[in-house]
Amino acid sequence: MQPGGYYSEWLANNLDYISNYRTFLLARTSNIVEFLRHDTYLTGNILLVEGGHNIRIVYSCMGINILLMWWAFIIAISMQLKSKVAHLILGTLCLIALNVIRLSLLSVSHDDFSFNYLVLDHHTLYNLAVYGLIIVMMKRVVDRRIIMS
């Protein structure tokens, strides 16, 4: 999708889901932050927040790898199509909502996320929380399959 190498303008114009997803995350975050009475301005991949932290979303902030892990699990496990679709949709919405909540909290926080010499990396904390949630959801799916069989 980036010019150079094997760049395809058609792919960049028609299949660039990354930019669309980034804009979606930033727009939803902006909605929540504005609800919390902060003025925001969205420009490219940056959300400017008056009285808070500005957010620049890069690929690692988007949680696409987390979503793909959930999708791969649901696609790979044997279950009825209706249940599979429901798990895909509900799990995806849950993971996206958690990411938007994280981004919203980061943008309105007045803290620098440090305690003495320990700086808390929100990516690591978010990944731990979300992967923990995914493991719980996976266990629940597997347990339901065992009970139903």
Side-chain angles (χ1 to χ4, degrees):
M1 300 289 178
Q2 297 295 328
Y6 296 106
Y7 176 72
S8 168
E9 187 175 343
W10 185 88
L11 289 176
N13 291 334
N14 297 294
L15 297 177
D16 183 15
Y17 65 92
I18 300 292
S19 295
N20 294 328
Y21 183 57
R22 178 183 292 124
T23 301
F24 172 81
L25 287 175
L26 286 170
R28 299 302 68 80
T29 301
S30 176
N31 294 144
I32 291 174
V33 171
E34 286 177 354
F35 178 77
L36 297 172
R37 303 196 186 278
H38 289 269
D39 290 329
T40 64
Y41 179 73
L42 184 59
T43 175
N45 66 340
I46 300 173
L47 177 65
L48 303 169
V49 180
E50 188 175 314
H53 293 279
N54 299 330
I55 295 177
R56 184 176 139 258
I57 293 206
V58 295
Y59 185 83
S60 62
C61 297
M62 296 170 52
I64 290 177
N65 295 339
I66 294 170
L67 289 172
L68 291 176
M69 189 188 95
W70 175 248
W71 295 347
F73 170 73
I74 294 300
I75 290 169
I77 196 162
S78 174
M79 67 172 70
Q80 293 179 348
L81 182 61
K82 181 179 175 183
S83 183
K84 197 175 282 241
V85 170
H87 280 88
L88 277 172
I89 292 171
L90 292 175
T92 300
L93 291 175
C94 179
L95 294 171
I96 290 171
L98 286 172
N99 200 5
V100 170
I101 290 168
R102 170 185 70 117
L103 294 170
S104 300
L105 291 174
L106 281 171
S107 65
V108 297
S109 173
H110 298 290
D111 196 353
D112 65 352
F113 310 107
S114 63
F115 179 75
N116 290 336
Y117 295 105
L118 174 67
V119 176
L120 300 176
D121 179 15
H122 63 92
H123 284 111
T124 303
L125 293 174
Y126 173 71
N127 286 341
L128 287 172
V130 170
Y131 280 120
L133 176 66
I134 287 176
I135 290 169
V136 169
M137 292 189 316
M138 286 176 165
K139 182 177 179 345
R140 198 163 172 259
V141 168
V142 170
D143 288 348
R144 284 188 81 198
R145 283 190 57 244
I146 292 171
I147 292 170
M148 296 181 139
S149 59

